[in-house]
Amino acid sequence: MEQRNGCISEIEVEFLVERIKQGDKEAFMKIVEGYQQKVFILAYSMVRNREDALDLVQETFMRLYEKIQTYRPKENFTAWLMQIARNLSIDFLRRQKSRKKDNLDVLELGRVDLPSPSDDPAKFNPKEMIHKAVARLPEKQKLVFILHHYDELKYEEIAERLQISVGTVKSLHFKAIQKLRKILAPQLGGGL
Amino acid sequence: MNRCHKYKRDLVAYLSNELAPSRAQEVAEHLKHCSACQKEVEEIKRLFSMSKDFKTELQEVMSTVDWDKLPSILTDRVWKREEERQKKLVDSWFYRWRWQPLAAGLIFGLLLGAFFTYFVIKPQKPSFLTARQESKVSVPADFIEKVDLALARRETIDYLDRSQYLILELLQTRKQDEVSIFLTRDKIQQLLTEKKYLNAQLDDVKLLKAKAICDQIELLFLELTQLSSGLSEAELERVREMIEERQLLLKINLVKKELQQSEV
């Protein structure tokens, strides 16, 4: 069965990759067209800054071109590309962490107290809180959460993209929600 | 509670519409009667709602990006960087592979030349003569010969003077005078060494008479060095006889005079 990766089919991806290996600029541009938004969503979900996310998109495609010779046909191209984007985003956050100690809360669990609605309504920003809470999730749980909630992918599509079983995706999603509920318990008004 | 446990792990998938229809129906039925699970579902829904807020932000940010132009911009940047990388590679290849053999060749040539000069080409004449012949300063050939001759004469006279003085000292030495003998032996060795250097000059300027008397003196000195450190009266007598027999002192005087006259 022909799988769809955005607007590019798997067969088309294989064809384009072969042409990129031979230095075809047009083929490379088509790959960028097909995957730029997916990479952006992943990068933005991790760094939550438009310019940084765009830089990461550029860096991801540059790395893709550098490594294209190592890509083997029949390998899951989307998973491969997302792995590059994810690694670059993690590197970026690590660099940022070492530069700015303030950003420690983005990476490490339990370091920062998130404001609750009862504290100060001006400080209570749900978008800010969910971003920080998601950033604290373990890598695979975070990725599944981002792909499902921001990229709106079904479990089956996530399984295919990450090359894991649907059952594992379901389990990772469940664990991610449980952890987020625990982190955001005061804001959600409940608790585990 | 036991019944809830069977459904709790499926609540997230249920709210995400990821359950099979039959299982989703079962969960929905359970939720109708279980307030604990309903509470949990409400909490998860609030969480999903918060994530939707973030998704809204994401969509707003994404709407500010020109996705139609971005591919060509990114592709151009990637190609430009690749071209720069290739250029650097070519440059490094040029410097690494084009010049290295040349440099290696030059070094090898220099080493070979040095080896050849040192081990194969040997000077045929004493170095001072070779240097003179290779000198680029143009000096008349007869002038150089005259200078060489004068130098050879001067050194020969000096050699003869000191030899004469030494021979006279030997003739006056008594057996008991051992200190004097030891000093004389040192001087003899020194004169023998000087004679080796003098030979080359004498050969070159063809001072045959001077060379003959110098050779005789050398012979005498060689014999003296072969004798024991303490000369007996008989040995000293034999040396004196040899000197008188060969009329060495007289010959030395004559040659010296001749050399001094020609020098003037």
Side-chain angles (χ1 to χ4, degrees):
Chain A
M1 196 177 80
E2 194 176 295
Q3 298 289 328
R4 301 290 298 176
N5 288 313
C7 55
I8 308 176
S9 70
E10 203 173 82
I11 293 169
E12 205 177 347
V13 165
E14 295 298 329
F15 174 69
L16 290 171
V17 166
E18 282 310 308
R19 280 176 57 191
I20 293 169
K21 282 182 180 176
Q22 290 158 21
D24 190 325
K25 200 172 172 180
E26 288 296 317
F28 184 79
M29 207 186 292
K30 280 206 165 149
I31 288 285
V32 177
E33 275 170 19
Y35 289 92
Q36 58 183 350
Q37 293 195 12
K38 289 180 187 357
V39 175
F40 183 85
I41 290 168
L42 180 71
Y44 188 84
S45 306
M46 292 181 83
V47 301
R48 206 174 173 228
N49 178 292
R50 181 185 181 276
E51 302 312 317
D52 290 341
L54 281 171
D55 282 347
L56 283 167
V57 171
Q58 176 177 305
E59 199 56 41
T60 302
F61 285 108
M62 281 184 171
R63 194 64 63 88
L64 165 83
Y65 189 79
E66 283 170 18
K67 292 190 163 196
I68 198 76
Q69 299 297 339
T70 65
Y71 173 78
R72 283 168 300 208
K74 305 294 171 197
E75 202 178 333
N76 187 318
F77 181 78
T78 315
W80 187 68
L81 181 63
M82 288 298 148
Q83 186 67 35
I84 294 173
R86 196 162 68 103
N87 290 344
L88 287 170
S89 301
I90 292 167
D91 288 347
F92 174 85
L93 289 172
R94 282 198 185 121
R95 283 200 303 274
Q96 211 176 39
K97 179 189 162 189
S98 62
R99 275 203 303 267
K100 265 171 90 176
K101 292 281 177 191
D102 299 351
N103 281 9
L104 213 62
D105 59 328
V106 178
L107 287 166
E108 292 184 20
L109 180 64
R111 286 287 185 92
V112 173
D113 291 325
L114 292 166
S116 71
S118 58
D119 285 345
D120 180 2
K123 284 185 184 174
F124 183 72
N125 182 348
K127 283 185 283 186
E128 182 75 23
M129 284 189 303
I130 190 78
H131 169 70
K132 285 186 174 178
V134 170
R136 293 176 189 181
L137 291 175
E139 282 308 315
K140 280 202 168 172
Q141 290 176 28
K142 190 195 302 179
L143 202 56
V144 168
F145 184 88
I146 289 168
L147 292 173
H148 185 67
H149 291 272
Y150 304 156
D151 217 359
E152 293 182 330
L153 294 185
K154 304 291 284 177
Y155 281 1
E156 207 176 308
E157 290 171 308
I158 298 170
E160 196 226 336
R161 194 176 280 195
L162 302 181
Q163 292 190 304
I164 52 179
S165 70
V166 175
T168 307
V169 174
K170 189 181 165 188
S171 171
L172 285 168
H173 188 217
F174 172 75
K175 284 178 185 170
I177 297 298
Q178 294 300 91
K179 192 154 258 176
L180 288 173
R181 282 176 64 202
K182 198 175 171 184
I183 297 167
L184 298 167
Q187 290 78 23
L188 294 169
L192 289 168
Chain B
M1 281 301 279
N2 282 342
R3 286 187 64 203
C4 284
H5 184 70
K6 279 167 53 183
Y7 296 102
K8 276 198 172 178
R9 284 193 76 86
D10 280 343
L11 290 180
V12 174
Y14 171 74
L15 290 173
S16 302
N17 295 320
E18 290 285 351
L19 284 183
S22 58
R23 180 62 182 158
Q25 187 63 38
E26 283 175 36
V27 175
E29 283 299 319
H30 172 76
L31 283 172
K32 281 179 189 170
H33 312 289
C34 181
S35 59
C37 285
Q38 278 174 17
K39 197 183 165 198
E40 203 165 322
V41 162
E42 287 308 312
E43 208 179 303
I44 297 168
K45 275 183 178 173
R46 276 200 292 280
L47 186 67
F48 281 15
S49 167
M50 282 172 84
S51 76
K52 269 195 178 162
D53 286 345
F54 184 77
K55 202 195 166 208
T56 310
E57 178 192 306
L58 181 64
Q59 282 170 338
E60 280 169 11
V61 172
M62 285 180 76
S63 68
T64 64
V65 180
D66 190 341
W67 299 107
D68 293 331
K69 282 186 181 170
L70 193 64
S72 66
I73 293 168
L74 286 184
T75 306
D76 285 344
R77 283 181 190 165
V78 169
W79 246 250
K80 197 179 168 191
R81 195 161 95 165
E82 185 59 21
E83 276 168 13
E84 282 168 6
R85 204 170 64 91
Q86 289 293 333
K87 194 172 174 290
K88 273 185 191 169
L89 272 174
V90 168
D91 286 350
S92 67
W93 178 88
F94 181 79
Y95 287 116
R96 201 181 303 156
W97 301 109
R98 183 70 64 86
W99 293 104
Q100 273 189 0
L102 190 66
L106 274 170
I107 292 165
F108 180 73
L110 283 169
L111 286 172
L112 195 70
F115 178 84
F116 187 74
T117 309
Y118 190 77
F119 290 105
V120 180
I121 302 172
K122 287 186 178 163
Q124 296 300 312
K125 289 192 173 185
S127 59
F128 66 92
L129 290 174
T130 316
R132 190 189 66 203
Q133 283 168 3
E134 286 171 0
S135 170
K136 299 226 168 158
V137 180
S138 59
V139 180
D142 59 334
F143 175 76
I144 294 167
E145 274 176 23
K146 278 178 186 170
V147 170
D148 282 345
L149 189 62
L151 278 171
R153 275 187 193 130
R154 182 71 54 84
E155 283 177 31
T156 312
I157 291 167
D158 182 53
Y159 177 78
L160 290 172
D161 268 343
R162 286 190 290 137
S163 302
Q164 192 178 22
Y165 177 76
L166 194 65
I167 291 164
L168 284 169
E169 201 178 343
L170 269 171
L171 292 173
Q172 288 160 10
T173 303
R174 296 287 171 271
K175 189 181 182 305
Q176 294 79 7
D177 199 359
E178 285 192 357
V179 178
S180 175
I181 286 170
F182 277 119
L183 285 171
T184 309
R185 287 175 69 82
D186 286 343
K187 285 175 187 170
I188 289 169
Q189 284 293 351
Q190 197 182 340
L191 282 166
L192 281 170
T193 313
E194 278 179 34
K195 173 66 171 48
K196 281 180 191 168
Y197 292 104
L198 197 63
N199 281 342
Q201 282 170 283
L202 291 170
D203 285 344
D204 200 51
V205 293
K206 298 182 178 71
L207 291 168
L208 295 174
K209 271 188 193 170
K211 192 176 184 302
I213 191 72
C214 287
D215 287 346
Q216 282 186 30
I217 295 166
E218 188 183 19
L219 196 67
L220 173 73
F221 289 162
L222 281 170
E223 277 187 35
L224 279 170
T225 52
Q226 282 163 12
L227 293 173
S228 60
S229 57
L231 284 171
S232 65
E233 192 61 37
E235 282 169 338
L236 267 172
E237 194 54 40
R238 197 159 63 83
V239 170
R240 283 188 202 113
E241 278 173 12
M242 194 194 288
I243 292 165
E244 281 167 15
E245 199 176 286
R246 294 181 187 173
Q247 294 179 305
L248 260 179
L249 288 169
L250 181 66
K251 282 179 186 171
I252 287 170
N253 276 330
L254 284 169
V255 171
K256 260 171 66 185
K257 200 171 275 179
E258 195 177 320
L259 285 171
Q260 278 161 350
Q261 279 172 355
S262 56
E263 191 179 25
V264 172

